[in-house]
Amino acid sequence: MNHSSRQRRLTAAALTALAVAVSATACSSGSGSTDAKGAGSGTYTIWDPYPQFDKGSAWAKLLDRCGTEAGVKIKRTAFDTSDLGNKTLLAAQQGNSPDVLIVDNPVVSTLAEAGVITTTDDTKLDTSKADPNLLAAGQSGGKTYGTPIGANTLALYYNKKVLKEAGVDIASVKDWTSLTAALAKVKKAGKKGVTFSAIGTEEGSFQFLPWFWGAGAKLTGLDSAQAVSALSLWKDWLKQGYAPNSVLNNTQTTSWQEFASGDYAFAENGTWQLANARKAGLDYGVLPIPAATGGNAAAPTGGEFVTIPVQDDTARYTTSQKLTTCLTSNGNLYDTDTTLSYVAPTSEVQNKQVAANAGLKPWVDAVKSAKGRTSDDLGTKYPKISEQMWKAVQSALSGSKSPKDALTSAQDAVK
């Protein structure tokens, strides 16, 4: 694909979809320079969303090591997650894309639709070891764009002390009915039930999706009976006092802070809070979010994909593929995903993680049941659907509309 055709395809729609897609989950902060790569100089550029890792970090050293193995020098630039997608689109317009791009998985389909990243067929990248449900987040139109480097997702943290005082056996919590019964016992014992994030942003949709999917609902039908049952569950929890009204404004961070106070029995949150859980000194456990009638609900996957942007000089793909293969090899994934508090995207490395830390098993189970937000070939349709979903959640929980009416309005708006 030549530079001019890439330029034509970078539409306003792609930019709008990207702006929504990058506002999600567990993001780091920071920025980097936008210096161009030295074309033909034996230097390959890598952009990543990990500014928290400096030149002396294990991550930066891994990039350099992979470069050495491929026979090239690495020029790395780290961006804030929220900046990286837009910087990538701009670089493509200017014909100055990085050779390797590590990007939040919901953004992959937007970049693919804009024509700025290659397919694995283009670069002969082997993705056979990645778990299919995680790989699906980078698939669109029957094609695969890159490979996952790690995944995080949502589960229920629980406070063992609070549950013991309320007489709740965590083994009894297997579905929505038993979870709600546990919350009723906790409230009766004078403690607080469950906290989560229902804020009117992508974080709110991200946290609602396990319940939405756990009811059997599909993103193509926001007003289904299953979807209404999921929103009614949350609404009922607020009405009964099992969840606080603060969930309407809670981010995942403020929701976690509520749980860390030690008063709550449950909190919906992600793997990225594991270090904070240890710091809080709570006697906690982790439970995959139950589906309505039992089993594990599909929770949305967070985490990044390693992709290879389109280049005018397609001869660069061979080395870019070597770099990507090195970064996502089983030998390197364990250290990388441990550093990032991610669950690895391959079963072999997941098993190694659990062997080293048995506490990761609920997270591995949750990731194995997880689902990409842009899966089912939704691609760039997802941001619009998500926006209407979080608006419906806000309307229902605030009492301005019933769950059914809120979701009917949401589906009408998507159409």
Side-chain angles (χ1 to χ4, degrees):
M1 185 184 297
N2 63 43
H3 171 52
S4 59
S5 64
R6 285 206 310 276
Q7 200 166 18
R8 286 195 298 271
R9 292 189 63 186
L10 298 180
T11 62
L15 288 165
T16 300
L18 187 68
V20 177
V22 299
S23 65
T25 62
C27 301
S28 53
S29 62
S31 62
S33 69
T34 56
D35 293 342
K37 65 175 178 284
S41 67
T43 297
Y44 275 65
T45 54
I46 296 180
W47 288 4
D48 69 51
Y50 312 129
Q52 69 270 35
F53 299 129
D54 61 20
K55 291 181 179 180
S57 66
W59 169 248
K61 290 176 180 176
L62 172 61
L63 297 181
D64 289 338
R65 189 165 70 249
C66 287
T68 299
E69 290 177 9
V72 297
K73 184 179 179 181
I74 298 301
K75 179 176 175 57
R76 176 222 177 191
T77 306
F79 294 93
D80 181 88
T81 299
S82 58
D83 293 336
L84 185 52
N86 287 324
K87 288 286 198 304
T88 300
L89 288 173
L90 180 61
Q93 286 179 312
Q94 296 171 341
N96 188 34
S97 295
D99 291 290
V100 176
L101 171 71
I102 302 166
V103 66
D104 199 17
N105 75 66
V107 180
V108 173
S109 59
T110 300
L111 297 178
E113 185 172 297
V116 301
I117 53 176
T118 61
T119 71
T120 53
D121 289 337
D122 295 331
T123 59
K124 306 297 185 284
L125 182 65
D126 181 9
T127 61
S128 61
K129 291 183 179 179
D131 286 356
N133 66 314
L134 301 181
L135 191 62
Q139 294 174 327
S140 180
K143 297 182 183 299
T144 302
Y145 297 84
T147 189
I149 195 169
N152 55 29
T153 194
L154 296 166
L156 290 176
Y157 286 85
Y158 59 89
N159 186 317
K160 294 180 180 180
K161 180 181 177 183
V162 171
L163 292 183
K164 184 178 181 180
E165 290 176 356
V168 174
D169 179 1
I170 193 63
S172 70
V173 179
K174 297 180 178 179
D175 52 24
W176 290 2
T177 299
S178 55
L179 175 57
T180 301
L183 295 175
K185 284 187 175 182
V186 168
K187 184 188 176 187
K188 188 174 181 181
K191 293 292 185 178
K192 297 177 180 179
V194 60
T195 179
F196 49 88
S197 170
I199 195 170
T201 68
E202 174 63 20
E203 284 190 78
S205 291
F206 187 72
Q207 290 237 319
F208 182 59
L209 277 171
W211 312 97
F212 181 87
W213 284 331
K218 295 181 179 180
L219 287 170
T220 49
L222 293 179
D223 57 349
S224 68
Q226 294 91 337
V228 172
S229 72
L231 189 48
S232 296
L233 177 75
W234 271 18
K235 174 69 175 176
D236 187 57
W237 284 354
L238 263 69
K239 182 180 178 182
Q240 298 297 332
Y242 301 157
N245 289 327
S246 59
V247 299
L248 277 160
N249 298 308
N250 270 349
T251 64
Q252 292 180 113
T253 299
T254 55
S255 171
W256 176 260
Q257 290 166 349
E258 288 180 335
F259 180 70
S261 70
D263 294 330
Y264 282 85
F266 296 95
E268 180 182 355
N269 228 297
T271 43
W272 53 91
Q273 298 292 5
L274 280 170
N276 289 329
R278 290 188 287 269
K279 286 180 186 176
L282 299 175
D283 187 9
Y284 73 92
V286 178
L287 178 75
I289 295 171
T293 57
N296 297 342
T301 53
E304 284 78 43
F305 263 60
V306 187
T307 66
I308 299 175
V310 170
Q311 302 290 341
D312 290 332
D313 181 4
T314 58
R316 298 185 72 87
Y317 294 157
T318 300
T319 299
S320 296
Q321 185 257 32
K322 289 179 181 177
L323 294 170
T324 301
T325 299
C326 177
L327 292 173
T328 58
S329 68
N330 280 341
N332 288 326
L333 279 174
Y334 178 78
D335 289 339
T336 297
D337 290 333
T338 299
T339 298
L340 296 171
S341 291
Y342 279 168
V343 170
T346 69
S347 294
E348 182 179 327
V349 183
Q350 288 168 4
N351 292 339
K352 187 176 178 182
Q353 288 180 305
V354 172
N357 180 1
L360 287 176
K361 186 169 190 315
W363 291 110
V364 169
D365 291 343
V367 163
K368 283 187 176 297
S369 299
K371 184 175 181 177
R373 284 162 278 175
T374 57
S375 297
D376 299 330
D377 228 21
L378 286 178
T380 53
K381 297 175 185 174
Y382 172 74
K384 184 176 181 181
I385 294 169
S386 174
E387 182 178 3
Q388 296 308 318
M389 174 182 282
W390 81 58
K391 286 181 177 178
V393 169
Q394 286 270 304
S395 294
L397 298 192
S398 67
S400 63
K401 289 182 180 179
S402 69
K404 186 175 188 303
D405 288 345
L407 288 167
T408 297
S409 297
Q411 184 62 27
D412 290 343
V414 169
K415 288 178 183 177

